[in-house]
Coordinates of all heavy atoms in Angstrom, one line a residue:
M2 N -84.2 -25.8 -155.4 CA -83.6 -25.8 -154.0 C -82.2 -26.3 -154.3 O -81.9 -27.2 -155.0 CB -84.3 -26.8 -153.1 CG -83.8 -26.7 -151.8 SD -84.8 -27.8 -150.6 CE -86.1 -26.8 -150.3
S3 N -81.1 -25.5 -153.7 CA -79.7 -26.0 -153.8 C -79.4 -27.2 -153.0 O -80.1 -27.6 -152.1 CB -78.9 -24.8 -153.4 OG -78.9 -24.6 -152.0
M4 N -78.1 -27.7 -153.3 CA -77.7 -29.0 -152.6 C -77.6 -28.5 -151.1 O -77.7 -29.3 -150.2 CB -76.4 -29.4 -153.2 CG -75.8 -30.6 -152.5 SD -76.7 -32.1 -152.5 CE -76.2 -32.8 -154.0
K5 N -76.9 -27.3 -150.8 CA -76.9 -26.9 -149.5 C -78.2 -26.8 -148.8 O -78.2 -27.3 -147.6 CB -76.2 -25.5 -149.4 CG -75.8 -25.1 -148.1 CD -75.2 -23.7 -148.2 CE -74.8 -23.1 -146.7 NZ -74.2 -21.9 -146.9
D6 N -79.2 -26.4 -149.4 CA -80.5 -26.3 -148.7 C -81.1 -27.7 -148.6 O -81.6 -28.0 -147.5 CB -81.6 -25.5 -149.6 CG -81.2 -24.0 -149.6 OD1 -80.5 -23.4 -148.8 OD2 -81.5 -23.5 -150.8
D7 N -80.8 -28.7 -149.5 CA -81.3 -29.9 -149.4 C -80.6 -30.7 -148.1 O -81.1 -31.3 -147.5 CB -80.9 -30.8 -150.7 CG -81.8 -30.3 -151.9 OD1 -83.0 -29.7 -151.7 OD2 -81.5 -30.7 -153.0
L8 N -79.3 -30.4 -148.0 CA -78.6 -30.9 -147.0 C -79.0 -30.5 -145.6 O -79.1 -31.3 -144.6 CB -77.0 -30.7 -147.1 CG -76.3 -31.7 -148.2 CD1 -74.9 -31.2 -148.4 CD2 -76.3 -33.1 -147.6
N9 N -79.2 -29.1 -145.5 CA -79.7 -28.7 -144.3 C -81.1 -29.2 -144.0 O -81.3 -29.6 -142.8 CB -79.8 -27.0 -144.4 CG -78.4 -26.6 -144.3 OD1 -77.6 -27.0 -143.7 ND2 -78.3 -25.2 -144.9
K10 N -82.0 -29.3 -144.9 CA -83.4 -29.8 -144.6 C -83.2 -31.3 -144.2 O -83.8 -31.7 -143.2 CB -84.2 -29.7 -145.9 CG -85.7 -30.2 -145.7 CD -86.4 -30.1 -146.9 CE -87.8 -30.6 -146.6 NZ -88.8 -30.4 -147.8
L11 N -82.4 -32.0 -144.9 CA -82.1 -33.4 -144.6 C -81.4 -33.6 -143.1 O -81.9 -34.5 -142.4 CB -81.2 -34.1 -145.6 CG -80.9 -35.5 -145.5 CD1 -82.2 -36.5 -145.4 CD2 -79.9 -36.1 -146.6
N12 N -80.5 -32.8 -142.9 CA -80.0 -32.8 -141.5 C -81.1 -32.6 -140.5 O -81.0 -33.3 -139.5 CB -78.9 -31.7 -141.5 CG -78.2 -31.6 -140.1 OD1 -77.7 -32.6 -139.5 ND2 -78.4 -30.5 -139.4
E13 N -81.9 -31.6 -140.7 CA -83.0 -31.3 -139.6 C -83.9 -32.6 -139.4 O -84.3 -32.9 -138.4 CB -83.7 -30.1 -139.9 CG -83.0 -28.9 -139.8 CD -82.3 -28.7 -138.3 OE1 -83.1 -29.0 -137.4 OE2 -81.1 -28.5 -138.2
T14 N -84.2 -33.1 -140.6 CA -85.2 -34.4 -140.5 C -84.4 -35.5 -139.8 O -85.2 -36.2 -138.9 CB -85.6 -34.9 -142.0 OG1 -86.2 -33.7 -142.6 CG2 -86.4 -36.1 -142.0
V15 N -83.3 -35.8 -140.2 CA -82.6 -36.8 -139.7 C -82.3 -36.6 -138.1 O -82.5 -37.5 -137.2 CB -81.2 -37.1 -140.4 CG1 -80.3 -38.1 -139.5 CG2 -81.5 -37.7 -141.7
K16 N -82.0 -35.3 -137.7 CA -81.7 -35.0 -136.3 C -83.0 -35.2 -135.5 O -83.0 -35.8 -134.4 CB -81.3 -33.6 -136.1 CG -80.9 -33.2 -134.8 CD -80.5 -31.8 -134.8 CE -80.1 -31.3 -133.4 NZ -81.1 -31.5 -132.4
Q17 N -84.2 -34.8 -136.0 CA -85.4 -35.0 -135.4 C -85.7 -36.5 -135.3 O -86.2 -36.9 -134.1 CB -86.6 -34.3 -136.2 CG -87.9 -34.5 -135.5 CD -89.1 -33.9 -136.3 OE1 -88.8 -33.2 -137.3 NE2 -90.3 -34.2 -136.0
Y18 N -85.6 -37.3 -136.2 CA -85.8 -38.8 -136.1 C -84.9 -39.4 -135.1 O -85.4 -40.2 -134.2 CB -85.5 -39.4 -137.5 CG -86.5 -39.3 -138.6 CD1 -87.8 -38.4 -138.5 CD2 -86.4 -39.9 -139.7 CE1 -88.7 -38.4 -139.4 CE2 -87.3 -39.8 -140.8 CZ -88.4 -39.0 -140.6 OH -89.4 -38.8 -141.7
R19 N -83.7 -39.0 -135.0 CA -82.7 -39.5 -134.1 C -83.1 -39.1 -132.7 O -83.2 -40.0 -131.8 CB -81.4 -38.9 -134.4 CG -80.3 -39.7 -133.6 CD -78.9 -39.1 -134.1 NE -77.8 -39.9 -133.4 CZ -77.2 -39.3 -132.3 NH1 -77.6 -38.2 -131.8 NH2 -76.3 -40.0 -131.7
D20 N -83.4 -37.8 -132.5 CA -83.8 -37.5 -131.2 C -85.0 -38.1 -130.7 O -85.1 -38.6 -129.4 CB -84.1 -35.9 -131.2 CG -82.8 -35.2 -131.3 OD1 -81.7 -35.7 -131.2 OD2 -82.8 -33.9 -131.7
E21 N -86.0 -38.3 -131.5 CA -87.2 -39.1 -131.2 C -87.0 -40.4 -130.7 O -87.5 -41.0 -129.8 CB -88.3 -39.0 -132.2 CG -88.9 -37.5 -132.5 CD -89.7 -37.6 -133.7 OE1 -89.9 -38.6 -134.4 OE2 -90.3 -36.4 -134.0
L22 N -86.1 -41.1 -131.5 CA -85.9 -42.5 -131.3 C -85.1 -42.8 -130.0 O -85.1 -43.7 -129.4 CB -85.2 -43.1 -132.5 CG -86.2 -43.3 -133.7 CD1 -85.3 -43.6 -134.9 CD2 -87.3 -44.3 -133.5
R23 N -84.2 -41.9 -129.8 CA -83.3 -42.0 -128.7 C -84.1 -42.2 -127.4 O -83.8 -43.1 -126.6 CB -82.3 -40.9 -128.5 CG -81.4 -41.0 -127.3 CD -80.6 -39.8 -127.1 NE -79.6 -39.8 -128.1 CZ -79.1 -38.6 -128.7 NH1 -79.6 -37.4 -128.1 NH2 -78.2 -38.6 -129.6
V24 N -85.2 -41.4 -127.3 CA -86.1 -41.6 -126.1 C -86.8 -42.9 -126.0 O -86.9 -43.5 -124.9 CB -87.2 -40.6 -126.3 CG1 -88.2 -40.6 -125.2 CG2 -86.6 -39.1 -126.1
Q25 N -87.0 -43.5 -127.1 CA -87.8 -44.8 -127.1 C -86.8 -46.1 -127.1 O -87.3 -47.2 -126.9 CB -88.6 -44.9 -128.5 CG -89.7 -44.0 -128.5 CD -90.5 -44.0 -129.9 OE1 -90.2 -44.8 -130.7 NE2 -91.3 -43.1 -130.0
M26 N -85.5 -45.8 -127.2 CA -84.5 -46.8 -127.4 C -84.4 -47.7 -126.1 O -84.1 -48.9 -126.1 CB -83.2 -46.4 -127.8 CG -82.9 -46.1 -129.3 SD -83.5 -47.4 -130.3 CE -82.3 -48.7 -129.9
H27 N -84.7 -47.1 -125.0 CA -84.5 -47.9 -123.7 C -85.5 -49.0 -123.5 O -85.3 -50.0 -122.9 CB -84.6 -46.9 -122.5 CG -86.0 -46.4 -122.2 ND1 -86.6 -45.4 -122.9 CD2 -86.9 -46.8 -121.3 CE1 -87.8 -45.2 -122.5 NE2 -88.1 -46.1 -121.6
L28 N -86.6 -49.0 -124.4 CA -87.6 -50.0 -124.4 C -87.4 -51.0 -125.5 O -88.1 -52.1 -125.6 CB -89.0 -49.5 -124.5 CG -89.5 -48.4 -123.4 CD1 -90.7 -47.8 -123.7 CD2 -89.5 -49.1 -122.1
A29 N -86.5 -50.8 -126.4 CA -86.2 -51.6 -127.6 C -85.7 -52.9 -127.4 O -84.9 -53.1 -126.4 CB -85.4 -50.8 -128.6
Q30 N -86.0 -53.8 -128.3 CA -85.4 -55.3 -128.3 C -83.9 -55.1 -128.8 O -83.5 -54.1 -129.4 CB -86.1 -56.1 -129.2 CG -87.5 -56.3 -128.6 CD -88.4 -57.2 -129.6 OE1 -87.9 -57.5 -130.7 NE2 -89.6 -57.5 -129.2
Q31 N -83.1 -56.1 -128.6 CA -81.7 -56.0 -128.9 C -81.5 -55.9 -130.4 O -80.6 -55.2 -130.7 CB -81.0 -57.4 -128.4 CG -79.6 -57.4 -128.6 CD -78.9 -56.3 -127.8 OE1 -79.2 -56.1 -126.8 NE2 -78.0 -55.6 -128.5
D32 N -82.3 -56.5 -131.3 CA -82.1 -56.4 -132.7 C -82.2 -54.9 -133.1 O -81.5 -54.4 -134.0 CB -82.9 -57.3 -133.5 CG -84.4 -57.1 -133.3 OD1 -84.8 -56.8 -132.3 OD2 -85.1 -57.3 -134.3
V33 N -83.1 -54.3 -132.4 CA -83.4 -52.8 -132.8 C -82.1 -52.0 -132.3 O -81.7 -51.1 -133.0 CB -84.6 -52.3 -132.2 CG1 -84.8 -50.8 -132.4 CG2 -85.8 -53.1 -132.9
R34 N -81.7 -52.4 -131.2 CA -80.4 -51.7 -130.5 C -79.3 -51.8 -131.4 O -78.5 -50.9 -131.7 CB -80.2 -52.2 -129.2 CG -81.3 -51.7 -128.2 CD -80.9 -52.1 -126.7 NE -81.9 -51.7 -125.9 CZ -82.3 -52.5 -124.9 NH1 -81.8 -53.6 -124.6 NH2 -83.2 -52.0 -124.0
D35 N -79.1 -53.0 -132.0 CA -78.0 -53.2 -133.0 C -78.1 -52.5 -134.1 O -77.1 -51.8 -134.6 CB -77.9 -54.8 -133.3 CG -77.6 -55.7 -132.1 OD1 -77.0 -55.1 -131.2 OD2 -77.8 -56.8 -132.4
E36 N -79.3 -52.3 -134.7 CA -79.4 -51.4 -135.9 C -79.2 -50.0 -135.5 O -78.6 -49.2 -136.2 CB -80.9 -51.6 -136.5 CG -81.1 -50.8 -137.8 CD -82.4 -51.2 -138.4 OE1 -83.1 -52.0 -138.0 OE2 -82.6 -50.5 -139.5
W37 N -79.6 -49.5 -134.3 CA -79.3 -48.2 -133.8 C -77.9 -48.0 -133.7 O -77.4 -46.9 -134.2 CB -80.0 -48.0 -132.5 CG -79.7 -46.7 -131.8 CD1 -78.7 -46.5 -130.9 CD2 -80.4 -45.5 -132.0 NE1 -78.7 -45.2 -130.5 CE2 -79.7 -44.6 -131.3 CE3 -81.5 -45.1 -132.8 CZ2 -80.1 -43.2 -131.1 CZ3 -81.8 -43.8 -132.8 CH2 -81.1 -42.8 -132.0
D38 N -77.2 -48.9 -133.3 CA -75.7 -48.7 -133.0 C -75.0 -48.5 -134.5 O -74.1 -47.7 -134.6 CB -75.1 -50.0 -132.4 CG -75.5 -50.0 -130.9 OD1 -75.9 -48.9 -130.3 OD2 -75.3 -51.1 -130.3
D39 N -75.5 -49.3 -135.4 CA -75.1 -49.1 -136.7 C -75.3 -47.8 -137.3 O -74.4 -47.2 -137.9 CB -75.5 -50.3 -137.6 CG -75.1 -51.7 -137.3 OD1 -74.0 -51.8 -136.6 OD2 -75.7 -52.6 -137.8
L40 N -76.5 -47.3 -137.2 CA -76.8 -46.1 -137.6 C -76.1 -45.0 -136.8 O -75.8 -43.9 -137.5 CB -78.4 -45.9 -137.5 CG -79.3 -46.6 -138.4 CD1 -80.8 -46.5 -138.0 CD2 -79.1 -46.3 -139.9
D41 N -75.8 -45.2 -135.7 CA -75.1 -44.2 -134.9 C -73.7 -43.9 -135.5 O -73.2 -42.8 -135.6 CB -75.0 -44.5 -133.4 CG -75.3 -43.4 -132.5 OD1 -76.1 -42.5 -132.9 OD2 -75.0 -43.5 -131.4
E42 N -72.9 -44.9 -136.1 CA -71.8 -44.8 -136.8 C -71.9 -43.9 -138.0 O -71.2 -43.0 -138.3 CB -71.2 -46.2 -137.1 CG -70.6 -46.9 -135.9 CD -70.2 -48.3 -136.3 OE1 -69.7 -48.4 -137.4 OE2 -70.1 -49.2 -135.4
Y43 N -73.0 -44.2 -138.8 CA -73.4 -43.4 -140.0 C -73.7 -41.9 -139.5 O -73.3 -41.0 -140.3 CB -74.6 -43.9 -140.7 CG -74.3 -45.0 -141.7 CD1 -74.2 -46.4 -141.2 CD2 -74.1 -44.7 -143.0 CE1 -73.9 -47.4 -142.1 CE2 -73.7 -45.8 -143.9 CZ -73.6 -47.0 -143.6 OH -73.4 -48.0 -144.4
W44 N -74.3 -41.8 -138.5 CA -74.5 -40.4 -137.9 C -73.3 -39.6 -137.7 O -73.2 -38.5 -138.2 CB -75.3 -40.5 -136.6 CG -75.5 -39.1 -136.0 CD1 -74.9 -38.8 -134.8 CD2 -76.3 -38.1 -136.3 NE1 -75.4 -37.4 -134.5 CE2 -76.3 -37.0 -135.4 CE3 -77.3 -37.9 -137.3 CZ2 -77.0 -35.9 -135.5 CZ3 -78.0 -36.7 -137.4 CH2 -77.7 -35.6 -136.6
D45 N -72.3 -40.3 -137.1 CA -71.0 -39.5 -136.9 C -70.2 -39.2 -138.3 O -69.8 -38.0 -138.4 CB -70.0 -40.5 -136.0 CG -70.5 -40.6 -134.7 OD1 -71.2 -39.8 -134.1 OD2 -70.1 -41.6 -134.1
K46 N -70.4 -40.1 -139.2 CA -69.9 -39.9 -140.6 C -70.5 -38.7 -141.2 O -70.1 -37.8 -141.9 CB -69.8 -41.1 -141.3 CG -68.9 -42.2 -141.0 CD -69.1 -43.4 -141.8 CE -68.2 -44.5 -141.3 NZ -68.4 -45.8 -142.0
F47 N -71.9 -38.7 -141.1 CA -72.8 -37.6 -141.8 C -72.4 -36.3 -141.1 O -72.2 -35.3 -141.9 CB -74.2 -38.1 -141.6 CG -75.1 -37.0 -142.1 CD1 -75.4 -36.8 -143.5 CD2 -76.0 -36.5 -141.1 CE1 -76.3 -35.9 -144.0 CE2 -77.0 -35.5 -141.6 CZ -77.1 -35.3 -143.0
R48 N -72.3 -36.3 -139.8 CA -72.2 -35.0 -139.1 C -70.7 -34.4 -139.5 O -70.6 -33.2 -139.8 CB -72.2 -35.1 -137.6 CG -73.6 -35.6 -137.1 CD -74.7 -34.4 -137.3 NE -74.3 -33.3 -136.7 CZ -74.7 -32.0 -137.0 NH1 -75.7 -32.0 -138.0 NH2 -74.3 -31.0 -136.4
Q49 N -69.8 -35.3 -139.7 CA -68.4 -34.9 -140.1 C -68.4 -34.4 -141.5 O -67.9 -33.3 -141.8 CB -67.5 -36.0 -140.1 CG -66.0 -35.7 -140.4 CD -65.5 -34.6 -139.4 OE1 -65.6 -34.7 -138.2 NE2 -64.8 -33.6 -140.0
K50 N -69.1 -35.1 -142.4 CA -69.3 -34.5 -143.8 C -69.8 -33.2 -143.8 O -69.5 -32.3 -144.5 CB -70.0 -35.4 -144.7 CG -69.2 -36.7 -144.9 CD -68.1 -36.6 -145.9 CE -67.4 -37.9 -146.3 NZ -66.1 -37.7 -146.8
L51 N -71.0 -32.9 -143.0 CA -71.6 -31.7 -142.9 C -70.7 -30.6 -142.4 O -70.7 -29.4 -142.9 CB -72.9 -31.8 -142.1 CG -74.1 -32.5 -142.8 CD1 -75.3 -32.5 -141.9 CD2 -74.5 -31.8 -144.1
D52 N -70.0 -31.0 -141.3 CA -69.0 -30.0 -140.8 C -68.0 -29.5 -141.9 O -67.7 -28.3 -141.9 CB -68.4 -30.6 -139.6 CG -69.3 -30.7 -138.3 OD1 -70.4 -30.0 -138.4 OD2 -68.9 -31.3 -137.3
D53 N -67.5 -30.6 -142.6 CA -66.4 -30.2 -143.7 C -67.1 -29.3 -144.5 O -66.5 -28.3 -145.1 CB -66.0 -31.5 -144.4 CG -65.3 -32.5 -143.5 OD1 -64.8 -32.0 -142.4 OD2 -65.1 -33.6 -143.9
I54 N -68.4 -29.5 -145.0 CA -68.9 -28.7 -146.1 C -69.2 -27.3 -145.6 O -68.9 -26.3 -146.2 CB -70.3 -29.3 -146.5 CG1 -70.0 -30.6 -147.3 CG2 -71.2 -28.3 -147.2 CD1 -71.3 -31.5 -147.5
R55 N -69.6 -27.2 -144.3 CA -70.0 -25.9 -143.7 C -68.6 -25.0 -143.5 O -68.6 -23.8 -143.7 CB -70.6 -26.0 -142.2 CG -72.1 -26.6 -142.5 CD -72.8 -26.6 -141.1 NE -74.1 -27.1 -141.2 CZ -74.7 -28.0 -140.5 NH1 -74.0 -28.5 -139.5 NH2 -75.9 -28.3 -140.7
H56 N -67.6 -25.7 -143.1 CA -66.3 -25.0 -142.8 C -65.6 -24.6 -144.0 O -64.7 -23.8 -144.0 CB -65.4 -25.8 -141.9 CG -66.0 -25.8 -140.5 ND1 -66.6 -26.9 -139.9 CD2 -66.0 -24.9 -139.5 CE1 -67.0 -26.6 -138.7 NE2 -66.7 -25.3 -138.4
D57 N -65.8 -25.3 -145.1 CA -65.1 -25.1 -146.4 C -66.0 -25.1 -147.6 O -65.8 -25.8 -148.5 CB -63.9 -26.0 -146.6 CG -63.0 -25.7 -147.6 OD1 -63.0 -24.5 -148.1 OD2 -62.2 -26.5 -148.1
A58 N -67.1 -24.4 -147.5 CA -68.3 -24.5 -148.3 C -67.8 -24.3 -149.8 O -68.2 -25.0 -150.7 CB -69.2 -23.5 -148.0
D59 N -67.0 -23.3 -150.1 CA -66.5 -23.1 -151.5 C -65.5 -24.2 -152.0 O -65.4 -24.4 -153.1 CB -65.9 -21.7 -151.6 CG -67.0 -20.7 -151.3 OD1 -68.2 -21.0 -151.7 OD2 -66.6 -19.5 -150.9
G60 N -64.7 -24.7 -151.0 CA -63.7 -25.7 -151.5 C -64.2 -27.1 -151.5 O -63.3 -27.9 -152.0
V61 N -65.3 -27.4 -151.0 CA -65.8 -28.7 -151.1 C -66.4 -29.2 -152.4 O -67.1 -28.4 -152.9 CB -66.9 -28.9 -149.9 CG1 -67.6 -30.3 -150.0 CG2 -66.3 -28.6 -148.6
G62 N -66.0 -30.3 -152.8 CA -66.4 -30.8 -154.0 C -67.8 -31.3 -154.2 O -68.3 -31.6 -153.0
Q63 N -68.4 -31.5 -155.3 CA -69.6 -32.1 -155.4 C -69.7 -33.6 -154.8 O -70.8 -33.9 -154.3 CB -70.0 -32.0 -156.9 CG -71.5 -32.5 -157.3 CD -72.5 -31.7 -156.7 OE1 -72.3 -30.5 -156.4 NE2 -73.8 -32.2 -156.4
D64 N -68.6 -34.3 -155.1 CA -68.6 -35.6 -154.5 C -68.7 -35.7 -153.0 O -69.4 -36.6 -152.5 CB -67.4 -36.5 -155.0 CG -66.1 -35.7 -154.5 OD1 -65.9 -34.5 -154.4 OD2 -65.1 -36.4 -154.3
T65 N -68.1 -34.7 -152.2 CA -68.4 -34.7 -150.8 C -69.8 -34.4 -150.6 O -70.3 -34.9 -149.6 CB -67.4 -33.6 -150.3 OG1 -66.1 -33.9 -150.6 CG2 -67.6 -33.6 -148.7
R66 N -70.4 -33.4 -151.3 CA -71.8 -33.2 -151.0 C -72.7 -34.3 -151.2 O -73.6 -34.6 -150.5 CB -72.2 -31.9 -151.8 CG -71.6 -30.6 -151.4 CD -72.1 -29.4 -152.3 NE -71.7 -28.2 -151.8 CZ -70.6 -27.6 -152.2 NH1 -69.7 -28.2 -153.1 NH2 -70.2 -26.4 -151.7
E67 N -72.4 -35.0 -152.4 CA -73.2 -36.1 -152.7 C -73.0 -37.2 -151.7 O -73.9 -38.0 -151.3 CB -72.9 -36.7 -154.1 CG -73.4 -35.7 -155.2 CD -73.0 -36.1 -156.6 OE1 -72.5 -37.3 -156.8 OE2 -73.1 -35.4 -157.4
T68 N -71.8 -37.4 -151.1 CA -71.6 -38.5 -150.1 C -72.3 -38.1 -149.0 O -73.0 -39.0 -148.3 CB -70.1 -38.5 -149.8 OG1 -69.4 -39.0 -151.0 CG2 -69.8 -39.5 -148.7
A69 N -72.3 -36.9 -148.4 CA -73.1 -36.4 -147.3 C -74.5 -36.7 -147.4 O -75.2 -37.2 -146.6 CB -72.8 -34.9 -146.9
Y70 N -75.1 -36.3 -148.7 CA -76.5 -36.4 -148.9 C -76.9 -37.9 -149.0 O -77.9 -38.3 -148.3 CB -76.9 -35.8 -150.3 CG -78.3 -35.7 -150.5 CD1 -79.1 -34.7 -150.0 CD2 -78.9 -36.6 -151.3 CE1 -80.4 -34.7 -150.1 CE2 -80.3 -36.6 -151.5 CZ -81.0 -35.6 -151.0 OH -82.4 -35.6 -151.1
N71 N -76.0 -38.8 -149.6 CA -76.3 -40.3 -149.6 C -76.3 -40.8 -148.1 O -77.2 -41.6 -147.8 CB -75.4 -40.9 -150.3 CG -75.6 -40.6 -151.9 OD1 -76.6 -40.3 -152.3 ND2 -74.5 -40.7 -152.8
L72 N -75.4 -40.3 -147.3 CA -75.3 -40.8 -146.0 C -76.5 -40.4 -145.2 O -77.3 -41.2 -144.4 CB -74.0 -40.3 -145.2 CG -72.8 -40.9 -145.5 CD1 -71.6 -40.1 -144.8 CD2 -72.7 -42.4 -144.9
G73 N -77.0 -39.2 -145.4 CA -78.1 -38.8 -144.8 C -79.4 -39.4 -145.1 O -80.3 -39.8 -144.3
E74 N -79.6 -39.8 -146.4 CA -80.7 -40.4 -147.0 C -80.7 -41.9 -146.3 O -81.7 -42.4 -146.0 CB -80.7 -40.5 -148.5 CG -81.2 -39.3 -149.2 CD -82.5 -39.0 -148.9 OE1 -83.4 -39.7 -148.7 OE2 -82.8 -37.7 -148.9
E75 N -79.6 -42.5 -146.2 CA -79.4 -43.8 -145.6 C -79.8 -43.7 -144.1 O -80.5 -44.6 -143.6 CB -78.0 -44.4 -145.7 CG -77.6 -44.9 -147.0 CD -76.2 -45.3 -147.1 OE1 -75.7 -46.0 -146.2 OE2 -75.5 -45.1 -148.2
L76 N -79.4 -42.7 -143.4 CA -79.8 -42.4 -142.0 C -81.3 -42.4 -142.0 O -81.9 -43.0 -141.1 CB -79.1 -41.3 -141.5 CG -77.7 -41.4 -141.0 CD1 -77.0 -40.1 -140.7 CD2 -77.6 -42.3 -139.7
K77 N -81.8 -41.5 -142.7 CA -83.2 -41.2 -142.7 C -84.1 -42.5 -142.9 O -84.9 -42.8 -142.2 CB -83.6 -40.3 -143.8 CG -85.0 -39.9 -143.9 CD -85.3 -38.9 -145.0 CE -86.7 -38.6 -145.2 NZ -87.0 -37.7 -146.5
A78 N -83.7 -43.4 -144.0 CA -84.3 -44.6 -144.2 C -84.2 -45.6 -142.9 O -85.1 -46.3 -142.6 CB -83.8 -45.3 -145.5
G79 N -83.0 -45.7 -142.4 CA -82.8 -46.5 -141.3 C -83.6 -46.0 -140.0 O -84.2 -46.8 -139.3
Y80 N -83.6 -44.7 -139.8 CA -84.4 -44.2 -138.7 C -86.0 -44.5 -138.9 O -86.6 -44.8 -138.0 CB -84.1 -42.8 -138.4 CG -82.8 -42.6 -137.7 CD1 -82.1 -41.4 -138.1 CD2 -82.2 -43.3 -136.9 CE1 -80.8 -41.1 -137.6 CE2 -81.0 -43.1 -136.2 CZ -80.4 -41.9 -136.6 OH -79.0 -41.7 -136.1
E81 N -86.3 -44.4 -140.1 CA -87.7 -44.6 -140.4 C -88.0 -46.1 -140.2 O -89.1 -46.4 -139.6 CB -88.2 -44.3 -141.9 CG -88.2 -42.7 -142.1 CD -88.3 -42.4 -143.6 OE1 -88.0 -43.2 -144.5 OE2 -88.7 -41.3 -143.8
R82 N -87.2 -47.1 -140.5 CA -87.4 -48.5 -140.2 C -87.5 -48.7 -138.7 O -88.3 -49.4 -138.3 CB -86.2 -49.3 -140.7 CG -86.2 -49.6 -142.2 CD -85.2 -50.7 -142.6 NE -83.8 -50.4 -142.1 CZ -83.0 -49.7 -142.8 NH1 -83.2 -49.1 -143.9 NH2 -81.7 -49.5 -142.2
I83 N -86.6 -48.1 -137.8 CA -86.7 -48.2 -136.4 C -88.0 -47.7 -136.0 O -88.6 -48.2 -135.1 CB -85.5 -47.7 -135.8 CG1 -84.2 -48.5 -136.1 CG2 -85.7 -47.5 -134.3 CD1 -83.0 -47.9 -135.6
R84 N -88.4 -46.5 -136.4 CA -89.6 -45.8 -136.1 C -90.8 -46.7 -136.2 O -91.6 -46.9 -135.3 CB -89.8 -44.5 -136.7 CG -88.9 -43.4 -136.4 CD -89.2 -42.2 -137.2 NE -90.2 -41.4 -136.7 CZ -90.7 -40.4 -137.4 NH1 -90.2 -40.0 -138.5 NH2 -91.7 -39.7 -136.9
K85 N -90.8 -47.4 -137.4 CA -92.0 -48.3 -137.6 C -92.0 -49.6 -136.8 O -93.1 -49.9 -136.3 CB -91.9 -48.8 -139.1 CG -92.3 -47.7 -140.1 CD -92.2 -48.1 -141.6 CE -92.4 -47.0 -142.5 NZ -92.2 -47.4 -144.0
R86 N -90.8 -50.0 -136.5 CA -90.7 -51.2 -135.6 C -91.1 -50.9 -134.1 O -91.5 -51.8 -133.4 CB -89.2 -51.8 -135.7 CG -89.0 -52.4 -137.1 CD -87.6 -52.8 -137.1 NE -87.3 -53.9 -136.4 CZ -86.0 -54.4 -136.3 NH1 -85.0 -53.8 -137.0 NH2 -85.8 -55.5 -135.5
L87 N -90.9 -49.6 -133.8 CA -91.2 -49.3 -132.3 C -92.6 -48.9 -132.1 O -93.1 -48.8 -131.0 CB -90.2 -48.2 -131.9 CG -88.8 -48.5 -131.7 CD1 -88.0 -47.3 -131.4 CD2 -88.6 -49.6 -130.7
K88 N -93.4 -48.8 -133.2 CA -94.7 -48.5 -133.0 C -95.6 -49.6 -132.7 O -95.4 -50.7 -132.8 CB -95.2 -47.7 -134.3 CG -94.7 -46.3 -134.5 CD -95.4 -45.8 -135.7 CE -94.8 -44.3 -135.7 NZ -95.4 -43.6 -136.7

């Protein structure tokens, strides 16, 4: 699987987690909300990196792809932590 495919798959997973959690956030405690707010900043950075990659796919360096992938993995882990806490 290519890095582009990995990023697309990761994007879909993170987006799904984020959408599911957004629905549950109105019931969450303040500490969970604080973590959500922190992750939302990462979400914005992740989406920007993906947009950069999509708009300039050939000109984007491996470091940009790796940065996007690492941000996505951090988001995924963070959303998984929140999911577990809300169950």
Side-chain angles (χ1 to χ4, degrees):
M2 192 178 275
S3 73
M4 177 65 90
K5 183 177 177 181
D6 293 335
D7 289 343
L8 280 170
N9 285 333
K10 182 177 179 181
L11 181 58
N12 178 53
E13 289 304 312
T14 300
V15 170
K16 183 179 182 306
Q17 179 183 348
Y18 285 2
R19 184 174 186 269
D20 291 344
E21 290 171 0
L22 290 171
R23 182 183 292 143
V24 173
Q25 297 176 4
M26 284 306 297
H27 72 281
L28 301 173
Q30 296 175 352
Q31 186 60 43
D32 60 329
V33 175
R34 288 184 184 142
D35 291 343
E36 186 171 359
W37 173 265
D38 291 340
D39 292 342
L40 287 172
D41 231 21
E42 290 179 27
Y43 275 86
W44 173 253
D45 292 338
K46 291 176 185 177
F47 177 65
R48 297 297 301 165
Q49 182 59 48
K50 291 288 184 191
L51 285 180
D52 287 345
D53 292 347
I54 291 167
R55 287 180 180 141
H56 289 106
D57 191 18
D59 294 332
V61 172
Q63 183 67 21
D64 58 328
T65 301
R66 288 184 176 90
E67 288 176 9
T68 299
Y70 190 81
N71 290 336
L72 282 170
E74 286 295 330
E75 289 179 38
L76 280 167
K77 182 180 169 186
Y80 289 145
E81 286 174 343
R82 279 192 308 275
I83 291 175
R84 288 173 83 188
K85 288 177 185 175
R86 291 171 70 184
L87 291 176
K88 288 185 178 185

